[in-house]
Amino acid sequence: MQQYRAHVLVCGGTGCVSSGCHAVKEALLEGLKTHDLADEVLVVKTGCMGPCDMGPLIVVYPEGVLYRQLTPESALRIVEEHLLKGRVVEDLVYRTENLKPVPVLEEISFFSRQTRIALRNTGLIDPESIEEYIARDGYLALARVLQQGDPEAVIAEVKKSGLRGRGGGGFPTGLKWEFTARAPGQPKYLVCNADEGDPGAFMDRSILEGDPHSVLEAMAIAGFAVGANQGYVYVRAEYPLAVQRLSVAIEQARRYGTLGSNIFGTGFDFDVEIRVGAGAFVCGEETALLASIEGKRGEPRPRPPFPATEGLWGKPTLINNVETFANIPPIILGGGESFASIGAEKSKGTKVFALAGKIRNTGLVEVPMGITLREIIYDIGGGIPDGKKFKAAQIGGPSGGCIPAPCLDVPVDYESMAELGTMMGSGGLVIMDEDTCMVDVAKFFIEFCKDESCGKCAPCRIGVKRMLETLERITTGEGREGDLELLEELGQQIKDSALCGLGQTAPNPVLSTIRYFREEYEAHVRDKCCPAKVCKALLEYRILADVCVGCGACKKACPVGAIMGERRQPHEINTAVCTRCGACVEACRFDAIVR
Amino acid sequence: MKSLQDLERIRLKAQERMRVREGEGATKIAVGMGTCGIAAGARDVMAAILDEVAKRKLADVTVTQTGCVGLCEYEPLVDVILPGQQKVTYARVDADKARQIVARHVVNRQIIGDWVLARS
Ligand SMILES: Cc1cc2nc3c(=O)[nH]c(=O)nc-3n(C[C@H](O)[C@H](O)[C@H](O)COP(=O)(O)O)c2cc1C
Ligand code: SF4
């Protein structure tokens, strides 16, 4: 095998694909060819490295220098300077807030504060090369498990690790495996839930795109442990890159004999097929997902019976999330105890979060459980940009809730999140600053749930719609006394009576924002005012007469002719005509227009 | 793959190729790859060193490149830094000398005095 003196890793996650990593990679290859370096320097396309706002980005090894926001032109400079002459190109490396260059990846706090287990290979290997996965101890756990030949020992190890489901529910994984193993009925099936419907979440997608073999290996291990020979990965059609890389991985695994019949010569057979879903949020719910795989409508059904006893085609079925699976090979190789030494009391190991919103470093991060939100937001995420103040963190997507500033030091684990009225969820973490209206946020999530409700049960189909209507009234200045109490009562009843997790958690964003930001709701209801100045209907645009010079720029910009005034005289806005589009504010060079 | 042994074989081979990504090795060999170095034949030197390192399966060695250091008439220059030791710079290296530098200096830890330009 050829030895290269340098490896250039080009991030090929979906984020970087859209910011132009293909052109950067082409430029690198072209440059290496021109300078006759193609035999010395290897270019590898990896999965998502995490810091999506820095894309397109590359890391040059052995030095481990990270270059970011590249163009084909700057990529050529890296070839000419770094790869040819060994000089780091200072102006293309990462810089801290006070502009200090930090070329080496391991010293950038975004990376150095993370603990990577599920993402151990993501961004570091070529996801389309099974050999690179094997080099990182890939398929070693499977080989050991099969050679040992004791399914109960595998389940015992997973139980010891304390691993809990990363798909949102947080159910102990080892127990679920045990239930499925003990359930009567043959054949048994295995399902990997890669539906990932939370808006803004992309943890599972990144694992499938960056390290698909880790999921396949874990599925084979789980199959052996519970006695299943057939697995399905349920992915949404909106994830074409994940589907493609997974297909390549399955094909390679079959060729290398880590999937198929008689794996490692031990007589164990296991194979995996992909099922592509149309991308409905409710199809992430396990019973709806199983119905969808069977070719039926993706609607939940009451549990019990749980899938562990009656799943696909009525047979015992183990269903786990992508990230849950990705943790399995390290648990087998390193032992359950060592995994359990990471994290919090009842929440072991790490969690991957998709950081988004008003935060300096957006992207994918994996942190030990029990870390505080403050550490995630300020140490890893780099804090809030533009000198704005932190207002709330939305965790757990549409099923979760909002955490206010006074709770920033609460540890992030399953129990603490539940106490705060939210949930760990699957890993969506949206940071909001002072310019965010919490009523508007609650409305956004409840609207999402209304759209995604399957309509099977009344509390969710009708109740969630009523909650949305009430919020719409509040945000348009039609709020009435008693609305908040109504929302609280209705929310609680939906939580108690809806059939599936979608309805049971849909009120969370509303209830948690009422709990922590009640004054903001009251300002909307009583004073017909949106303190964050987001809810359009509650805004009133006004021109400050002593600042206005009468230039007329606003008058020209207003699309509905709501502005009146003579030249050189202070202008005025006719609020009856004004549609609150904000065009005049943009147009005014004197900051004379206020809301 | 039919057994754990097959997996082990593939793993060791692939690991060797991936070692570059684990960071810099304790021993460093740097070849002068400025325009002057390349004109004097640094490319063959680089190829020879990479080949020799691969053939001998030297694990902890990083091969890099440097730009012109202003000593163009002595190119191709090769620097060798063993862990905890001074940098030794060899002058007018060719492919054959390069292989010997790897064998004698890097592997057997004997500096080849006659070819040395500087120690720092
Ligand atoms: C509305 C709804 C959507 C869900 N979406 C997902 C999802 O996208 N991915 C996922 O893994 N689990 C999702 N779940 C949780 C699954 O029902 C199930 O608990 C999970 O896949 C079990 O795997 P785990 O134990 O490894 O977490 C969803 C649940 C509900 C109620
Ligand atoms: S709670 Fe909503 S999504 Fe779930 S079954 Fe009822 S209507 Fe469907």
Side-chain angles (χ1 to χ4, degrees):
Chain A
M1 206 180 285
Q2 182 163 359
Q3 210 63 31
Y4 294 90
R5 67 174 163 85
H7 289 193
V8 180
L9 305 196
V10 182
C11 180
T14 292
C16 282
V17 169
S18 27
S19 60
C21 70
H22 286 314
V24 166
K25 183 179 172 212
E26 287 310 310
L28 283 170
L29 290 175
E30 196 55 46
L32 289 174
K33 211 161 83 195
T34 332
H35 292 285
D36 244 332
L37 293 173
D39 291 338
E40 295 173 19
V41 180
L42 177 70
V43 178
V44 180
K45 191 154 90 202
T46 71
C48 175
M49 294 181 183
C52 305
D53 57 315
M54 295 190 198
L57 69 148
I58 68 171
V59 181
V60 181
Y61 286 100
E63 299 91 335
V65 173
L66 182 148
Y67 293 108
R68 55 170 194 153
Q69 287 168 357
L70 298 179
T71 58
E73 294 74 39
S74 51
L76 276 181
R77 277 175 57 214
I78 293 169
V79 173
E80 283 158 12
E81 284 294 305
H82 188 144
L83 295 170
L84 188 63
K85 298 177 191 160
R87 289 195 286 244
V88 171
V89 190
E90 286 262 330
D91 61 310
L92 297 175
V93 302
Y94 172 78
R95 277 165 200 270
T96 59
E97 202 183 329
N98 41 29
L99 299 180
K100 189 172 145 287
V102 190
V104 181
L105 179 138
E106 280 162 16
E107 290 164 11
I108 300 174
S109 60
F110 179 85
F111 293 99
S112 62
R113 299 292 302 260
Q114 298 191 40
T115 305
R116 294 189 154 217
I117 300 176
L119 298 179
R120 63 196 177 281
N121 297 326
T122 301
L124 202 67
I125 63 168
D126 178 351
E128 299 194 3
S129 158
I130 190 173
E131 298 212 347
E132 295 210 348
Y133 178 67
I134 290 174
R136 306 265 306 160
D137 295 342
Y139 289 113
L140 194 57
L142 175 63
R144 291 222 180 121
V145 159
L146 292 184
Q147 204 166 46
Q148 226 183 18
D150 183 359
E152 283 181 20
V154 178
I155 294 177
E157 208 58 48
V158 176
K159 276 168 103 177
K160 224 188 289 171
S161 75
L163 177 67
R164 295 169 64 173
R166 302 295 194 240
F171 191 82
T173 306
L175 264 187
K176 203 189 261 187
W177 289 25
E178 192 172 66
F179 291 155
T180 318
R182 292 207 179 138
Q186 284 293 340
K188 293 179 183 176
Y189 294 103
L190 203 74
V191 174
C192 172
N193 187 341
D195 189 60
E196 195 165 58
D198 286 15
F202 57 99
M203 299 76 53
D204 297 345
R205 185 190 78 203
S206 296
I207 293 174
L208 288 179
E209 284 177 6
D211 193 17
H213 285 287
S214 69
V215 177
L216 295 179
E217 180 182 6
M219 288 179 74
I221 294 172
F224 175 73
V226 305
N229 303 105
Q230 179 65 51
Y232 297 95
V233 183
Y234 186 88
V235 202
R236 50 180 49 222
E238 286 128 313
Y239 282 0
L241 193 59
V243 173
Q244 182 234 323
R245 294 211 176 132
L246 193 63
S247 312
V248 172
I250 291 175
E251 198 264 316
Q252 281 178 345
R254 284 180 186 149
R255 197 148 33 87
Y256 275 71
T258 53
L259 282 184
S261 53
N262 196 15
I263 297 173
F264 286 117
T266 58
F268 174 64
D269 307 335
F270 190 77
D271 209 349
V272 171
E273 274 179 39
I274 301 177
R275 285 287 180 271
V276 178
F281 182 54
V282 75
C283 283
E285 197 279 336
E286 53 190 25
T287 60
L289 186 150
L290 296 177
S292 172
I293 292 184
E294 291 173 1
K296 302 188 192 124
R297 258 179 96 123
E299 278 181 0
R301 60 155 174 83
R303 299 175 305 175
F306 287 93
T309 51
E310 270 183 48
L312 274 182
W313 298 289
K315 302 294 181 191
T317 302
L318 174 70
I319 173 161
N320 274 130
N321 162 265
V322 172
E323 187 184 333
T324 312
F325 276 128
N327 277 300
I328 295 295
I331 288 175
I332 300 295
L333 287 180
E337 259 158 52
S338 130
F339 184 87
S341 69
I342 302 165
E345 179 63 31
K346 288 188 187 157
S347 308
K348 300 301 187 191
T350 57
K351 180 76 197 86
V352 183
F353 288 103
L355 264 187
K358 298 298 169 59
I359 187 152
R360 195 166 278 123
N361 308 326
T362 56
L364 210 61
V365 301
E366 181 172 355
V367 291
M369 298 232 221
I371 192 174
T372 65
L373 264 182
R374 185 184 302 282
E375 288 170 279
I376 299 180
I377 296 170
Y378 289 93
D379 298 346
I380 297 174
I384 318 295
D386 307 323
K388 300 267 170 150
K389 275 213 296 284
F390 168 83
K391 184 165 182 179
Q394 211 283 346
I395 185 167
S399 319
C402 292
I403 299 175
C407 301
L408 270 180
D409 290 310
V410 172
V412 178
D413 60 52
Y414 292 101
E415 279 72 30
S416 311
M417 290 301 107
E419 267 167 46
L420 288 180
T422 172
M423 57 188 251
M424 185 81 110
S426 59
L429 187 53
V430 185
I431 309 305
M432 296 175 282
D433 70 4
E434 51 188 296
D435 293 339
T436 317
C437 168
M438 301 315 289
V439 188
D440 185 60
V441 168
K443 195 178 75 178
F444 170 82
F445 281 108
I446 207 90
E447 183 162 14
F448 177 84
C449 288
K450 187 216 79 181
D451 288 344
E452 297 289 335
S453 165
C454 80
K456 184 164 176 171
C457 69
C460 170
R461 182 182 69 240
I462 305 170
V464 169
K465 183 128 199 281
R466 287 293 101 84
M467 285 184 83
L468 173 64
E469 284 165 5
T470 311
L471 284 171
E472 272 169 351
R473 273 199 288 107
I474 294 178
T475 52
T476 49
E478 307 289 324
R480 298 193 285 259
E481 282 301 326
D483 270 353
L484 299 192
E485 291 70 21
L486 178 70
L487 282 172
E488 282 171 326
E489 192 191 336
L490 191 53
Q492 197 52 50
Q493 288 197 355
I494 297 173
K495 275 176 84 111
D496 294 341
S497 57
L499 172 62
C500 87
L502 192 152
Q504 287 158 11
T505 58
N508 282 353
V510 181
L511 296 179
S512 79
T513 45
I514 295 184
R515 172 165 163 192
Y516 296 114
F517 299 92
R518 199 172 186 103
E519 323 82 76
E520 197 166 339
Y521 274 88
E522 283 168 351
H524 283 73
V525 175
R526 291 203 189 122
D527 312 332
K528 313 288 177 223
C529 142
C530 173
K533 309 228 177 285
V534 173
C535 299
K536 266 192 187 169
L538 301 183
L539 299 182
E540 198 172 275
Y541 285 83
R542 218 155 34 84
I543 298 179
L544 300 172
D546 49 339
V547 183
C548 177
V549 299
C551 71
C554 56
K555 203 167 157 182
K556 275 204 215 93
C558 180
V560 292
I563 300 183
M564 299 153 302
E566 296 300 316
R567 261 198 106 61
R568 303 245 164 86
Q569 295 298 318
H571 285 37
E572 259 181 68
I573 300 179
N574 178 353
T575 48
V577 181
C578 170
T579 58
R580 301 167 184 93
C581 72
C584 53
V585 180
E586 306 277 309
C588 179
R589 283 174 294 134
F590 305 96
D591 292 333
I593 303 174
V594 293
R595 299 188 282 203
Chain B
M1 287 188 292
K2 280 278 150 246
S3 64
L4 192 58
Q5 287 69 36
D6 290 347
L7 178 71
E8 204 64 4
R9 217 173 12 87
I10 297 181
R11 184 165 72 105
L12 291 177
K13 229 165 103 191
Q15 265 173 353
E16 217 163 279
R17 203 176 70 129
M18 299 261 291
R19 190 161 288 119
V20 175
R21 277 175 237 178
E22 319 236 298
E24 307 196 328
T27 298
K28 249 196 225 180
I29 308 176
V31 183
M33 295 281 259
T35 312
C36 47
I38 291 173
R43 240 174 234 300
D44 293 341
V45 172
M46 175 63 90
I49 291 176
L50 283 175
D51 185 53
E52 204 60 29
V53 167
K55 254 200 240 150
R56 292 172 180 271
K57 300 200 188 317
L58 301 181
D60 215 15
V61 176
T62 292
V63 183
T64 61
Q65 66 296 79
T66 59
C68 172
V69 288
L71 297 166
C72 311
E73 70 271 31
Y74 295 103
E75 292 279 1
L77 293 171
V78 172
D79 298 333
V80 176
I81 311 169
L82 294 182
Q85 292 189 22
Q86 290 183 314
K87 174 165 88 180
V88 176
T89 303
Y90 292 101
R92 300 206 177 105
V93 180
D94 57 22
D96 183 49
K97 282 181 175 172
R99 285 180 194 277
Q100 291 196 45
I101 290 170
V102 174
R104 290 161 65 185
H105 188 160
V106 177
V107 178
N108 294 329
R109 314 263 142 169
Q110 274 161 2
I111 297 172
I112 312 169
D114 288 356
W115 304 342
V116 171
L117 178 69
R119 302 173 192 221
S120 53

